[in-house]
Structures are given as structure tokens and as C-alpha cells.
Amino acid sequence: MQLTADTRVPVMTSPIVGPSLNGRLSGLSDYPFTRLAALLADVTPRSNIAPLMLSIGEPQHEPPALLAQALASAPLADWGKYPPTIGTAPFRAAIHGWLCRRYGLPAGFVDVDKGILPATGTREALFQVALLATPQLKDGRQPAVLIPNPFYAVYEGAAALAGAEPVFMPATRQTGFLPDLDALAPDLLARTALMYLCTPSNPQGAVADLAYLKKAITLARAYGFVLALDECYAEIWDKAPPPGGFEAALALEHEGAGQGHAGQGTANLLVFNSLSKRSSAAGLRSGFIAGDPALIQAFTRLRSYALAGNALPAQAAAAALWNDDAHVEENRRLYRQKIDAAEAALAGRYGFYRPAGGFFLWLDVGDGEAATRRLWGEAGLRVLPGAYFTRSEPDGSNAGHSYIRVALVHDTETVARACETIARVLG
Ligand SMILES: Cc1ncc(COP(=O)(O)O)c(C=O)c1O
């Protein structure tokens, strides 16, 4: 495993950290924001410019009033209670209700008691799933964890720290910005313990269709691995709601008598989602894991040791938010407005396209690092070079090298001005 090629800052190792964890930690690349800080350390924006952060995907829309109301009405005594690992019944019922509404699932397809767990955002749960899914050996060899490339950094860290080999699946313009599932060799699939997929994808905003999701689930069942679907951008979409993993599992269930899918329900599938993007509530740290009851049972056991859980008032507020769709519709309207503004400023340049989902622009600017430095120095706009979340090939080439990621998280006017500035600075 060669993961050090992209590391910029020497990794400190400690003699008091176990040798195997030390080795795995030092094999990791620096986190993208650490690398960004190093890239921009010697660049100072012009003095009259107020810096604007377009680098981090933290929604700046005001969270819905419902959130404050729900938190305020929680009994004070609930702050004094340890939350149960499996969450409260109203929390799980709200997730179940939303899944049924959003994906047209029959009640019980996702088991409300045995198929849903609260998470403190998807991030920690996406990390832990690698610990859950990685055996010592798979097919007699080191297990592989399949990761789209580019990718959310947590997937790589989770895979490597769980003792698996992170194996990257190219998701380039040529592959429609999603991994080509037909290109995965049977020999690799045989030792795969876990596949991460993200739809809508970060950073490209590509949406997997139902056929694609069905294929991924079919592979997971044929080769006995866990499919972790990161759907945390599922509610931020442009023209049509992205299909979800459970919709695909249900379709397989209906079609699948001859293909071994009948009676499989949500087998091999775990879906991850949160309120961070849907309700602009990243600070609430509230998400969920849902799917295969056998995996959820094992996850519950793992989390009963590893997790502190969500405060009861936070779970009550989360339930209120999952039960409400009106604020999400308004959220989508704002993101669409911003994509319109971005399109007006950037169409025809840098390979601009309207992302089908999510709120990032993935712009092909020639040299992502150079563009990032210019945008920061000349205009105070902080963006992320695409190479910082794209693994390099063994020959040193990097499919993200020519890209920057721009997060459209601010208000429409600010985003419009920022996009006009990008066009002016980069020409
Ligand atoms: C692809 C992806 N997955 C997961 C997360 C984690 O989000 P949270 O933990 O707030 O749900 C993020 C956050 O930006 C993300 O971009």
C-alpha cells in the first residue's frame, strides 16, 4: 500500500501509540484542510479584501426555526440522561417515516426497531463502518475497501486504520464522475470487505441512477461485502430527487425471484444520512445509519462500546426536522438559485456543468493548486484543489490535479459575486 505520495507535512509518530496503529496513521495523507493551510501559508489576501470560505462544505443557510423550537421545548431533565445507543423510538420512527416518504418504501422494509441507528452525523459512522466490515482476512488475503476517487477523506482513513487496503475506483468525467462498476475485477471483488459509494457525489455532484445502485447491491451480495452508501447530499438536488439505496433494494426484491434477491430486503446494505445538509444543521451532529438488520445489530454492539450517542433533546429536534419537508424544499430553492448564479457567471468555462445534486462546483481550471493560490491572494476566495481529495496514480498523475472544488454555501448574492470573481481572476 503506497499512500504517502501525497503527504506534504511529516507525520509525527508517538512511541506510546501501538506500533500497528502508528504505521497506519503515518501511512495516511494529511487531511485536505491541513494541506490547504500549508499551500496557502505564504499567501496573504490583499489587505482590503474580506476573505470568503468556499473551501468547506458547511451550509451557511440559517437552520429552520423548528430546530430552535424543538430544542427549547425539550425537558431540562433530558439533558441529564445518557442517550440509548439505539436512539429513541420517536427518532427512529421519524427516520422510518422519512425513508418511506422519500423513497416510496412500504412500512417495515427498513425495520424501524432493528434497522435504524442514530449517528452523530454521518462522518463518525462512515469511519466506524470500516471497523465493522473489515475482517482479518477476506478470501485468504488482506481485505480491500473500495473507495471512489476523488473521495471524502474519511473513507480512506477509516479503511487504512481498520487494516484494509484502500483501493481507489476512478470517478472521472469519462466515467460520468461515478466509479465504473463493470471495471472491477472479480479477483479484487473477492477480497473486498466494504465498498463506499457517495450519491450525490462529493465533489462532482453526480447522481447514481437506480440501475447503478442495483448493480452495486448485487455485487455486494454476490461477493459478500458491505455496501456503505453515503447519501448525505440526497436532499440537495437540482432537477429530480436522486434515487436511494433502499429504492434499489426494493426494486431488486420485486424483480429478484430468479436472481436470489427475493427475501433479501436490505441485506448487505447500509445507508448513511444526516441533517447537516438537509436542514443546514451541521452543528447538531445528527444523522443515522440504516439497513441490513444483521449489520445494524453488529453496529449496535460496536457503538455501545465506541460511541457517546446523541443527546435526547438533539434526537427530539432531529425527529421534528425529519418529519418536516417544507424547510427542505426552501433549502433546495436557495441552492438552485445559487447554481443559476454560478451558471450565469461560469457557463462555458472550466468545464462548468450544473451538478445534479449537492452544492459543489467541480471546475477544471488547468492547475488546481495554482488557481487556489491565485484566488486566495488576489481575491480572498478560499477553495480546495481537487488533488487534495484525489489519490494519485502510481505514475504520479492525479485525475483531480486540474480541478478546484467550490462550495456554494453562502447566500445567493455572495455566491454570484464570488463566481464572477473566479471568472475574472482565472480568466
Ligand atoms: C461526502 C460526505 N460524507 C459525509 C460527510 C459528513 O457530514 P456529517 O457528519 O455532517 O453528516 C460530509 C461532510 O461534508 C461529506 O461531504
Side-chain angles (χ1 to χ4, degrees):
M1 178 174 58
Q2 168 54 288
L3 291 175
T4 49
D6 297 313
T7 301
R8 296 297 166 92
V9 183
V11 177
M12 303 279 287
T13 55
S14 158
I16 58 167
V17 177
S20 97
L21 188 58
N22 242 343
R24 290 171 191 174
L25 278 174
S26 59
L28 289 175
S29 308
D30 282 321
Y31 207 72
F33 294 107
T34 310
R35 297 179 67 183
L36 179 63
L39 176 76
L40 299 180
D42 64 343
V43 183
T44 309
R46 290 197 187 133
S47 57
N48 57 344
I49 298 174
L52 186 67
M53 301 298 156
L54 302 167
S55 46
I56 182 162
E58 182 187 74
Q60 300 296 306
H61 302 170
E62 189 164 82
L66 197 55
L67 171 55
Q69 289 156 10
L71 284 175
S73 62
L76 193 57
D78 279 2
W79 290 105
K81 294 180 182 152
Y82 284 118
T85 306
I86 61 162
T88 64
F91 174 85
R92 281 184 277 109
I95 304 297
H96 178 263
W98 176 76
L99 287 170
C100 292
R101 276 195 323 280
R102 171 69 172 77
Y103 297 112
L105 308 178
F109 185 71
V110 176
D111 191 310
V112 69
D113 294 318
K114 299 195 178 89
I116 297 172
L117 281 179
T120 46
T122 48
R123 180 191 174 113
E124 54 85 5
L126 287 163
F127 181 86
Q128 279 190 359
V129 73
L131 296 180
L132 180 83
T134 305
Q136 203 104 40
L137 294 172
K138 176 93 194 285
D139 197 39
R141 296 174 283 165
Q142 183 188 22
V145 171
L146 305 185
I147 298 173
N149 196 26
F151 57 96
Y152 178 50
V154 168
Y155 309 155
E156 181 201 14
L161 294 174
E165 180 188 3
V167 175
F168 296 95
M169 307 179 285
T172 59
R173 190 177 282 275
Q174 290 71 33
T175 67
F177 290 127
L178 292 169
D180 178 359
L181 299 179
D182 293 324
L184 298 168
D187 184 59
L188 171 62
L189 288 164
R191 70 180 179 97
T192 295
L194 171 68
M195 177 193 279
Y196 287 105
L197 286 176
C198 183
T199 176
S201 65
N202 171 7
Q204 314 96 319
V207 164
D209 64 17
L210 206 61
Y212 186 99
L213 293 170
K214 281 159 57 180
K215 190 176 288 183
I217 295 170
T218 302
L219 285 176
R221 290 179 184 165
Y223 289 93
F225 61 80
V226 177
L227 176 63
L229 277 183
D230 180 351
E231 298 186 351
C232 73
Y233 294 96
E235 292 277 74
I236 313 298
W237 44 265
D238 188 23
K239 304 267 191 305
F246 293 130
E247 242 174 315
L250 181 65
L252 285 172
E253 180 81 37
H254 286 154
E255 296 161 14
Q259 296 154 39
H261 290 295
Q264 290 281 306
T266 56
N268 296 68
L269 175 62
L270 288 175
V271 168
F272 300 75
N273 208 332
S274 81
L275 293 169
S276 300
K277 327 293 176 190
R278 181 181 189 269
S279 304
S280 310
L284 184 64
R285 306 313 300 136
S286 184
F288 69 82
I289 311 158
D292 184 335
L295 293 172
I296 291 288
Q297 191 183 21
F299 226 149
T300 307
R301 203 169 158 81
L302 171 66
R303 293 168 74 76
S304 61
Y305 285 95
L307 209 81
N310 289 97
L312 292 178
Q315 289 194 48
L321 291 173
W322 286 110
N323 283 332
D324 180 70
D325 295 324
H327 74 278
V328 189
E329 187 54 51
E330 172 60 9
N331 215 12
R332 267 193 298 276
R333 188 183 68 77
L334 295 176
Y335 282 115
R336 273 191 210 113
Q337 252 182 18
K338 293 190 278 190
I339 294 173
D340 290 345
E343 187 168 31
L346 299 172
R349 301 177 201 233
Y350 325 123
F352 175 90
Y353 59 91
R354 290 181 77 94
F359 49 57
F360 297 111
L361 303 181
W362 185 234
L363 301 177
D364 188 345
V365 294
D367 179 338
E369 281 189 328
T372 299
R373 284 172 65 86
R374 283 188 65 187
L375 287 169
W376 183 239
E378 293 178 34
L381 297 182
R382 205 166 174 104
V383 300
L384 254 184
Y388 289 6
F389 33 93
T390 311
R391 181 63 42 239
S392 297
E393 300 300 325
D395 67 2
S397 65
N398 184 308
H401 165 82
S402 64
Y403 287 88
I404 55 172
R405 189 190 78 172
V406 180
L408 305 183
V409 289
H410 299 276
D411 63 86
T412 306
E413 213 179 294
T414 306
V415 164
R417 257 185 287 117
C419 290
E420 285 158 14
T421 305
I422 290 173
R424 178 172 51 74
V425 170
L426 300 183

